Amino acid sequence: MNLPPVAPGSKTRLKLWLRLLKATQLIENDLRENLRVEYGTTLPRFDVMAALYRHPDGLRMSALSAALRVSNGNVTGIVDRLESEGLVQRQPVKDDRRAMLACLTDDGRTRFEEIAHAHEGWVNAFLSSLPEDEAARVNDDLSAITAHLEKERRP
């Protein structure tokens, strides 16, 4: 089998990918644990609340699952639990009886703001070894990579 030649810099980029992946996994694992221990919640619940927080008028369930890139079934189960706790409410969409709009309740907004504040502090602590100007540079670099990858996927 003839393999294509290895491109210059490919080993460096492979190492970068592996380090990004490892750092992401370490941070995500710590975030999951902190959310569980400190707030009795999960990262998917936090993500649903964050999406709804960004849309104060609510989101259709289908738009919520699309925004989070998960199935409708996953979102429905999470919204069911958040609704039973009084953090989310569902209401029918006026011009589409089949669709439901999910939005945070006042208690849900307050709870999310509390958790989001802690989440920001945790992430800041995890990345505190990186000076702010360096973090800004890495952020710009990763934004450029993301934009390139998204451009490549467009039809």
Side-chain angles (χ1 to χ4, degrees):
M1 170 160 64
N2 286 336
L3 297 175
V6 175
S10 67
K11 294 287 186 205
T12 302
R13 290 182 185 96
L14 178 60
K15 285 180 186 177
L16 171 62
W17 161 244
L18 293 173
R19 287 200 171 99
L20 284 170
L21 186 59
K22 184 172 184 172
T24 299
Q25 290 171 336
L26 290 169
I27 291 170
E28 184 176 321
N29 288 342
D30 284 350
L31 285 173
R32 287 178 188 278
E33 181 67 9
N34 289 352
L35 287 168
R36 185 185 66 75
V37 169
E38 299 292 326
Y39 294 97
T41 195
T42 65
L43 190 55
R45 287 168 50 109
F46 177 81
D47 291 342
V48 166
M49 292 177 76
L52 294 176
Y53 188 84
R54 288 188 297 272
H55 296 88
D57 294 331
L59 283 172
R60 289 177 184 236
M61 295 293 288
S62 58
L64 181 56
S65 64
L68 297 173
R69 296 183 178 146
V70 298
S71 73
N72 285 338
N74 286 348
V75 167
T76 299
I78 293 169
V79 169
D80 285 346
R81 288 186 293 283
L82 291 169
E83 187 175 37
S84 73
E85 295 172 21
L87 301 174
V88 168
Q89 65 183 15
R90 278 188 266 214
Q91 53 198 38
V93 175
K94 291 178 184 170
D95 39 346
D96 185 351
R97 284 187 268 163
R98 296 171 297 152
M100 295 298 282
L101 196 67
C103 58
L104 289 174
T105 62
D106 289 342
D107 287 347
R109 292 187 74 72
T110 300
R111 181 75 169 154
F112 174 75
E113 288 168 353
E114 177 186 353
I115 298 169
H117 181 75
H119 179 274
E120 182 178 340
W122 298 329
V123 171
N124 184 58
F126 297 149
L127 299 176
S128 64
S129 66
L130 202 58
E132 186 176 356
D133 61 329
E134 187 68 12
R137 188 190 64 74
V138 171
N139 191 40
D140 290 345
D141 291 345
L142 291 173
S143 291
I145 291 168
T146 301
H148 172 76
L149 293 170
E150 287 174 340
K151 182 180 175 187
E152 292 292 313
R153 292 187 190 320
R154 288 191 192 121

